[in-house]
Amino acid sequence: MRPPASSLHRLYRKALLLLVLGWLLVWWTAAAAGPVYRYQKDGVWYYTDTPPADPPGEIQNLTPGLSVAPPEGGQRPVLVIDYPTRNPIETATAATVAVQSTLGAGSGFFVTTAGHILTNKHVLRTTEAQTSQTQARFQAVDERIAAVERALDDERQRLQTARQRLAAMAEAARQERHPQRRQAYQQDYAAQQRSFDNWQADFKQREERFAAEKRRVRDSRQDYHYNTSLADLAQRFTITLADGTTRYAHLLSLSARHDLALLKLDGFQTPALQPAAAGRVAQGDPVYAIGNPARLQNSVTSGVLSGVQQGFLQTNAQIYPGNSGGPLVDAEGRVLGINTFKSLTHKFEGLGFAIPIHTALEAFKDHLATR
């Protein structure tokens, strides 16, 4: 005998509730105690926080943002990047990543096979220079807003004066007893009224546009403070590999002296760029800047080493926004430096600059001791 439909519905709802509660338990356990993994054996899914040393198949990480850690004493799985490597520059590109933060996007690159990633600090955090520049822009905007508000207030007073004059004209026309003069006053009043109405309508439109612009500026400032607050607290960042795969890396260290940061992707054996020997590259040697400008992934620009200025490598290779944190490499794909900014000079092509790689390796030597 089949149970009634209402009983089947109740059973279905209970099963669905148990399934949801099971997934919530998995999520809560992951959030509270660390990553949770699952693997399939003989058609049955097994859940664990400690992956077996010899799993029967692929292990799936159920914790967003956490990499699969290797079994204790086991070897890290090789991070396979599906990207062509037909020459040394493409090999270097395969080890370059896009780095996403609340401040925007930049670049980085693997510097050890253990997953260490070098990038610029300003890609992840607000710098004093950025804060000062932004505050200066906010102040300039505030000054322009104040100037417009003063101009609108003056115009509002003039409108009020014109409105009073119109009222006086209307009253004069009303009290005029001579028909011809009253008609002349009325015609003059009508013309002045049309002019006033056009002026007032135009003023209202400009006032509304200005109010909308003030709201946009206010919202932009709030978004800026919110994003910078998040950025200054963030410890995990999305990275995009050369083949478009996304992973999550965590912040290891920020340099106090240089525009440098060190991230780490856990759980994998990664490709890594080899540093060029100190002093090996000479002025005029070809160099290549790799990065992700304007979200154009795996972009390469070429030039020569122009010289060394105040501790920075100078090049005429184009370095655009989004290239920050990417590698500057030689013709053999060995990394010379970390692209950091572009300085524009009057009537001259922009000059790119990079922090020497050995400066970065020295800054993070304690973290890279096991490279």
Side-chain angles (χ1 to χ4, degrees), residues 211-231:
E213 186 67 16
K214 279 183 63 176
R215 289 193 296 270
R216 189 190 67 81
V217 170
R218 180 200 62 198
D219 293 344
S220 296
R221 183 172 300 189
Q222 289 177 347
D223 289 344
Y224 168 79
H225 288 306
Y226 176 73
N227 288 334
T228 54
S229 297
L230 285 182

Side-chain angles (χ1 to χ4, degrees), residues 99-128:
V99 181
Q100 183 71 39
S101 74
T102 57
L103 299 178
S107 302
F109 59 94
F110 290 109
V111 71
T112 72
T113 57
H116 294 91
I117 301 169
L118 281 175
T119 185
N120 281 146
K121 180 163 57 177
H122 75 256
V123 172
L124 313 178
R125 295 282 193 267
T126 53
T127 64
E128 291 184 6

